[in-house]
Amino acid sequence: MMKPVTRRQFIGTTTLSLLGAAVMTSGGRRVFAAPATTPLQPVRFAVISDPHVDIRGVNKMKMSAHSIECLQHTVDDLNREEELAFVMVNGDLLQDGELENARVVRDALSVLKAPVFVISGNHDYRPANPKKLRQGFTYLSDGEFRKYFAGFGYDDSARRYYARQIVPGLRLIALDACLPAEEKKWGGRLPDEQLHWLDQELFSHSDQVNLVFMHHNFLPWSVDELRGGPKQWFCIDNAAEVRSVLEKNVQATPIAFSGHRHIGLHTRELNSVQYFALPSLNSHPMRYSIFTVTHEQLSWKTPMVGVSEATHLAARQALLQASWWRDQQYRESSPANDMAVLGFYENNDMIVGGRKLTRV
């Protein structure tokens, strides 16, 4: 078993590794005067992540028995929000790639008044591990998942990734780092094809703000997510390469969003790029996210899903009882450790907030 790492060691190790990646890539940076920006009035958009809808769900750490209710309440609440430019569903729409669950999700999303975009997570296609297959379900391949959600960002090209112009001055970029053939690994790796495409997209639209969405994480958010840790696969294998592309194109104001981690909203600025980890819809603290963006600032709120207090309390207790989801140094349950676990997962200081955006 890997020896637990202290928070001080985590901060030091992470800082050194990320700075190292920046130094190695500094010679390849494009250096030029920033182009004139395309005017951008404030744009509001919403993000739903990790709904894990399951028509036969059973509550564990994920409140699967309430997954449909969570999505439907969130859709209703988003329809009451004013002037949403779009809604992004940031992966893990399904429990494990079931067509029957996909029907429920598509029906729910079709009710949204704002345009809806979808990207695949590691639970959105037929599991490579046959032990995860359940009787009574029809399973989608990763390509069939994209075809089923054609019109929700995906088109007829069969490509796993896409870009869309939201309004003048604002673009959406969707990436897919999933590994459908991996039986045990739930992590990801962004293929070279997407890396090169991302570089060109950012370089070609450097006068705009570029929102970059991927289900998997661009960087670690806890000790356990460091390489070799029990949660290392929340972060993609070639995260340093992806970050270097974002940093090289910082004049394009890339803002990176990920899900997968099932934690309350976390954010970090690294080498002038803003990174966000987004909360799950059906595991504690059961939230979704609404952002407002301009060229100068990004602000947000993360409302709680509109289900009963009893459901929220059950989700909180389920998290505390799920030993794997607790970082190693807090694995043993105690009042102090429980508070530390809740503090990390809830991150209540970030329920609402804002960040100035750096433009080089």
Side-chain angles (χ1 to χ4, degrees):
M1 180 178 294
M2 189 184 89
K3 185 177 180 180
V5 182
T6 66
R7 287 191 173 273
R8 180 173 297 177
Q9 289 170 322
F10 168 65
I11 294 170
T13 304
T14 305
T15 302
L16 287 173
S17 63
L18 298 183
L19 288 177
V23 170
M24 287 187 291
T25 61
S26 62
R29 292 174 184 270
R30 301 184 181 102
V31 180
F32 53 83
T37 60
T38 299
L40 176 62
Q41 297 299 316
V43 175
R44 301 181 76 241
F45 63 94
V47 188
I48 296 170
S49 194
D50 297 86
H52 289 278
V53 166
D54 189 359
I55 60 175
R56 286 164 40 190
V58 177
N59 288 341
K60 294 182 181 178
M61 186 270 189
K62 302 168 188 173
M63 302 297 287
S64 298
H66 296 278
S67 57
I68 299 173
E69 180 187 5
C70 288
L71 179 59
Q72 291 174 338
H73 274 289
T74 301
V75 166
D76 290 342
D77 288 343
L78 290 178
N79 278 338
R80 285 189 283 268
E81 291 285 338
E82 295 182 0
E83 298 180 346
L84 288 180
F86 69 91
V87 177
M88 167 58 81
V89 189
N90 206 44
D92 280 1
L93 286 69
L94 317 177
Q95 177 63 20
D96 274 311
E98 305 89 350
L99 171 61
E100 293 77 10
N101 291 332
R103 288 180 182 140
V104 173
V105 173
R106 192 171 68 176
D107 287 347
L109 297 181
S110 296
V111 177
L112 279 165
K113 297 176 182 178
V116 186
F117 299 95
V118 162
I119 56 174
S120 175
N122 57 296
H123 281 271
D124 289 326
Y125 43 78
R126 180 185 178 92
N129 184 352
K131 293 181 180 180
K132 290 187 176 182
L133 301 178
R134 296 180 289 172
Q135 289 186 348
F137 283 107
T138 305
Y139 287 89
L140 301 169
S141 68
D142 60 320
E144 288 169 338
F145 171 85
R146 295 192 296 274
K147 184 176 181 180
Y148 194 79
F149 284 96
F152 291 82
Y154 295 118
D155 56 25
D156 295 331
S157 68
R159 288 204 310 183
R160 298 167 58 185
Y161 53 96
Y162 58 86
R164 296 290 181 267
Q165 190 76 45
I166 302 302
V167 296
L170 183 67
R171 287 179 63 79
L172 177 155
I173 296 174
L175 303 174
D176 184 345
C178 293
L179 302 171
E182 289 281 353
E183 182 172 332
K184 296 181 180 180
K185 183 176 180 179
W186 36 266
R189 180 179 181 85
L190 199 69
D192 289 343
E193 175 188 356
Q194 289 190 55
L195 275 172
H196 298 321
W197 174 80
L198 174 63
D199 190 19
Q200 288 302 311
E201 279 292 315
L202 293 174
F203 182 65
S204 300
H205 301 92
S206 57
D207 61 327
Q208 306 189 50
V209 173
N210 289 268
L211 309 175
V212 182
F213 294 92
M214 182 172 69
H215 178 66
H216 293 82
N217 287 276
F218 297 84
L219 45 74
W221 298 97
S222 71
V223 173
D224 281 13
E225 294 161 68
L226 296 175
R227 188 60 59 89
K231 300 180 182 66
Q232 63 175 331
W233 292 332
F234 280 125
C235 189
I236 60 173
D237 293 344
N238 59 338
E241 295 177 63
V242 181
R243 291 195 302 265
S244 72
V245 170
L246 299 177
E247 293 165 11
K248 183 172 67 172
N249 292 283
V250 70
Q251 74 281 355
T253 323
I255 308 171
F257 300 89
S258 61
H260 196 34
R261 188 57 181 88
H262 287 253
I263 53 179
L265 187 142
H266 281 59
T267 183
R268 185 183 305 169
E269 180 177 338
L270 179 67
N271 295 333
S272 300
V273 178
Q274 297 285 348
Y275 296 90
F276 287 84
L278 303 168
S280 165
L281 210 62
N282 78 339
S283 64
H284 188 70
M286 301 175 70
R287 297 172 186 160
Y288 58 96
S289 308
I290 298 175
F291 294 90
T292 301
V293 63
T294 68
H295 273 297
E296 294 77 29
Q297 182 168 324
L298 181 73
S299 58
W300 65 84
K301 63 179 181 179
T302 56
M304 297 179 72
V305 175
V307 292
S308 69
E309 293 90 340
T311 301
H312 278 283
L313 288 171
R316 181 180 184 270
Q317 188 61 30
L319 168 64
L320 290 175
Q321 292 175 345
S323 61
W324 185 88
W325 289 87
R326 304 167 69 107
D327 276 1
Q328 288 186 108
Q329 63 265 43
Y330 305 121
R331 183 66 59 86
E332 183 180 346
S333 181
S334 70
N337 284 353
D338 288 356
M339 288 298 294
V341 170
L342 291 175
F344 173 65
Y345 276 86
E346 295 172 349
N347 204 23
N348 288 332
D349 288 344
M350 291 291 109
I351 288 177
V352 296
R355 288 287 184 272
K356 290 185 177 180
L357 299 179
T358 302
R359 184 171 176 81
V360 177

